Amino acid sequence: MKNLVLFCTVLFLAACSGEKTDQLLLELDKKKLAENINYDKITFYKFAKIAVRSTAVQDTTQPEYQKFSKQAQSVVRTLNKVNGHGNENISVIDALRLYKEYRSVKQFVKETDEDVFPLLTAGLIAMNNGARTPVPFFKDFNKAYYQNIEHAILSMAVLTTRDLGQPFALYECSKTQPELLDDCEIKTLLEFVRGFLFFGNNLFYLSEDGLSRNIKWLDKNEKIPLPYTKAFFGWSRLSDEQTHVAFHSMNYLFRGFDRMRMERKIDEERSLEDFEAFLNDMNKLGIQNELVWGITAYLNLKKERPEQSLPALEKLSKSPLFSSSEREALQQTIVYVKDRKSDKALTNVYDKAFIGKIATKYMITLLSKIDWEKLMKQQGVPYTEEVFAAIGKFKALSNSVSEYTQPSTIEKGKKEIGKKGSELLEKAKGLWN
């Protein structure tokens, strides 16, 4: 209610002034974020998480627990049949039963904040130990702080998984509250991941907000080691000082992308300043990659120095990062530039959307190489193995339920049951309805 009042106030003030302020645009992005994560697969994922978290509830008179306890028990029984480390599926009967349980509480799941339940890690421990009593790790702890860490870890861990990926990472990011974390590397890396995800979902003002905080923090903390960041970007050969410069540049880069895609002229001007800052940092380090070439070409085209964009465009057109059609588009850009038609190069081929695609492709390729489970174990993150096993279990449930309950695949489920005999067919009666 408080947030709604604030949002309406901002809208009213903006309407009176006739100007779209930074605050108004930020509030509009928050509204769009809520809409972006409001669909069935995310709700089912939340359903499975609440089921696990509810196993650690100690006060079983809690209203949310009472409304969900029956379904939670069903989910946990099914989860216990899955080891979470393979490409396994649950049985068609379990999938259908689970889907029926989900439908019975779907509205409750949509309306309930999962964070009213105990930590996911506490739920996993209770589920494995068959007890509600928390282990010593959770005594005298700050729940808000630790659940924020959980959401942060999950947002990074699911980011490049084939079956979950960016929409689920976006949901986990939406649940994080970086302001609850101490000023540290994890906080600034989380802000960067959030910024990248928000940019990829056209939430440019939310993205810019976090990346601007990051830049300020990095400016004030030049001597803090960044081991996670070094592993995240594959910068093992860089020193701590060089890693700081490189990460600083990446925050400028994505803030520049945000501003480039914004509506106001002043934002586009600021984007060019951010891109210059990115290139200055990269040149200090002698780093050459698709991001550097992409921005070099864009800046030279924008500043009417088309001939200086050609070397970078040539390198981009040969990169394996792009599809054949994208390489053809880059070749067409080169033709326009050589014919002194840099305006056509910018509007017809090498436009804002295309340069944003370069950044997104580069980051996804980079992130897909990270073994998050291994990295977190190396850094001593507690219960890493249990959390990653849970991600595997959630994937198995989501895949199986989707496989047997979508209109296009219901017949497949019926045939599967038919093959296994009349007993299963009898059990399945009513589950599709």
Side-chain angles (χ1 to χ4, degrees):
M1 185 67 185
K2 185 177 171 184
N3 288 337
L4 180 61
V5 172
L6 173 63
F7 181 64
C8 291
T9 304
V10 172
L11 280 176
F12 174 75
L13 292 174
C16 293
S17 67
E19 180 186 352
K20 289 186 177 179
T21 64
D22 288 340
Q23 186 59 39
L24 167 65
L25 293 165
L26 190 60
E27 292 300 325
L28 288 172
D29 261 11
K30 289 177 182 177
K31 187 170 181 289
K32 281 165 59 180
L33 172 61
E35 292 167 357
N36 283 1
I37 56 176
N38 183 24
Y39 67 97
D40 208 48
K41 274 202 140 185
I42 295 292
T43 308
F44 183 83
Y45 171 74
K46 184 180 170 186
F47 164 74
K49 284 188 72 185
I50 289 176
V52 173
R53 295 180 73 162
S54 70
T55 60
V57 169
Q58 294 182 67
D59 178 10
T60 55
T61 63
Q62 182 182 339
E64 291 86 357
Y65 177 80
Q66 289 289 324
K67 290 178 183 177
F68 196 72
S69 61
K70 175 178 171 289
Q71 290 79 8
Q73 291 164 20
S74 179
V75 174
V76 169
R77 280 196 301 271
T78 307
L79 282 169
N80 279 330
K81 298 177 184 178
V82 182
N83 66 36
H85 294 291
N87 294 321
E88 59 198 315
N89 282 343
I90 61 175
S91 73
V92 61
I93 289 292
D94 283 337
L96 293 172
R97 184 180 293 116
L98 202 58
Y99 186 61
K100 189 169 185 179
E101 299 282 16
Y102 164 65
R103 285 190 303 176
S104 71
V105 290
K106 181 178 176 180
Q107 195 58 38
F108 165 79
V109 172
K110 291 184 80 164
E111 294 170 355
T112 303
D113 180 358
E114 66 166 278
D115 289 333
V116 302
F117 292 93
L119 292 174
L120 178 67
T121 316
L124 291 169
I125 293 167
M127 192 172 87
N128 292 334
N129 296 343
R132 295 188 184 282
T133 306
V135 295
F137 176 75
F138 296 109
K139 285 183 179 175
D140 303 319
F141 70 108
N142 181 335
K143 176 176 181 281
Y145 176 83
Y146 280 110
Q147 75 189 9
N148 199 43
I149 291 285
E150 281 189 347
H151 288 305
I153 288 172
L154 284 167
S155 70
M156 293 188 245
V158 304
L159 184 56
T160 55
T161 56
R162 184 174 61 84
D163 302 293
L164 299 178
Q166 290 193 58
F168 295 84
L170 185 66
Y171 167 73
E172 293 292 354
C173 274
S174 76
K175 298 296 295 173
T176 57
Q177 297 171 282
E179 65 275 11
L180 295 180
L181 293 174
D182 297 330
D183 275 347
C184 62
E185 184 195 9
I186 286 290
K187 179 177 179 176
T188 195
L189 190 54
L190 170 62
E191 285 277 29
F192 179 81
V193 171
R194 279 164 53 99
F196 167 67
L197 286 168
F198 290 155
F199 166 74
N201 285 272
N202 300 325
L203 302 167
F204 306 123
Y205 300 94
L206 272 175
S207 178
E208 183 204 35
D209 187 53
L211 294 172
S212 293
R213 282 195 296 272
N214 256 10
I215 290 168
K216 287 179 184 175
W217 186 83
L218 287 165
D219 285 339
K220 290 179 182 176
N221 296 277
E222 294 184 4
K223 304 298 181 185
I224 291 181
L226 302 171
Y228 279 108
T229 306
K230 193 178 286 192
F232 184 95
F233 287 99
W235 292 335
S236 58
R237 296 184 181 180
L238 299 185
S239 66
D240 286 344
E241 184 180 349
Q242 289 172 323
T243 299
H244 186 281
V245 173
F247 189 43
H248 191 253
S249 76
M250 294 300 290
N251 282 275
Y252 268 116
L253 174 68
F254 276 91
R255 191 174 73 172
F257 283 131
D258 289 324
R259 290 171 168 177
M260 178 185 72
R261 299 293 298 276
M262 290 175 180
E263 300 173 13
R264 301 173 303 185
K265 183 68 177 172
I266 189 172
D267 293 316
E268 185 174 12
E269 291 168 1
R270 289 171 179 167
S271 77
L272 299 181
E273 293 171 5
D274 281 345
F275 290 150
E276 292 278 12
F278 163 73
L279 288 180
N280 286 339
D281 280 344
M282 287 286 113
N283 288 336
K284 284 179 196 173
L285 300 171
I287 291 177
Q288 290 291 309
N289 56 32
E290 284 84 357
L291 294 177
V292 173
W293 303 329
I295 296 301
T296 299
Y298 182 75
L299 277 178
N300 281 314
L301 288 170
K302 287 293 290 183
K303 297 193 173 185
E304 299 182 355
R305 301 185 300 239
E307 67 287 344
Q308 293 182 38
S309 71
L310 284 171
L313 288 169
E314 293 281 5
K315 289 173 184 173
L316 279 175
S317 69
K318 295 171 185 172
S319 169
L321 192 67
F322 304 109
S323 66
S324 56
S325 62
E326 288 165 338
R327 286 196 289 271
E328 284 173 18
L330 285 163
Q331 286 293 343
Q332 183 60 59
T333 306
I334 292 168
V335 171
Y336 281 136
V337 171
K338 286 181 177 177
D339 290 345
R340 299 186 177 279
K341 297 176 182 176
S342 55
D343 57 332
K344 281 196 173 182
L346 276 171
T347 56
N348 291 14
V349 184
Y350 201 76
D351 58 7
K352 293 177 180 181
F354 190 87
I355 192 161
K357 191 183 290 185
I358 291 175
T360 303
K361 275 181 171 284
Y362 180 86
M363 284 304 304
I364 292 297
T365 301
L366 186 74
L367 294 172
S368 65
K369 297 176 183 176
I370 299 171
D371 185 338
W372 282 106
E373 184 171 3
K374 180 180 177 182
L375 174 61
M376 290 174 185
K377 281 181 179 177
Q378 287 172 344
Q379 297 298 324
V381 177
Y383 304 108
T384 295
E385 193 168 337
E386 288 83 352
V387 169
F388 276 83
I391 292 171
K393 289 171 183 280
F394 295 154
K395 278 165 48 178
L397 258 61
S398 180
N399 288 345
S400 296
V401 169
S402 178
E403 182 178 1
Y404 293 119
T405 57
Q406 295 303 313
S408 59
T409 55
I410 282 177
E411 285 306 313
K412 178 181 178 182
K414 290 179 178 177
K415 286 177 184 176
E416 185 80 14
I417 290 175
K419 285 178 190 174
K420 295 181 179 179
S422 58
E423 184 183 343
L424 281 181
L425 195 59
E426 189 64 29
K427 285 183 181 178
K429 281 182 180 177
L431 293 180
W432 269 294
N433 301 320

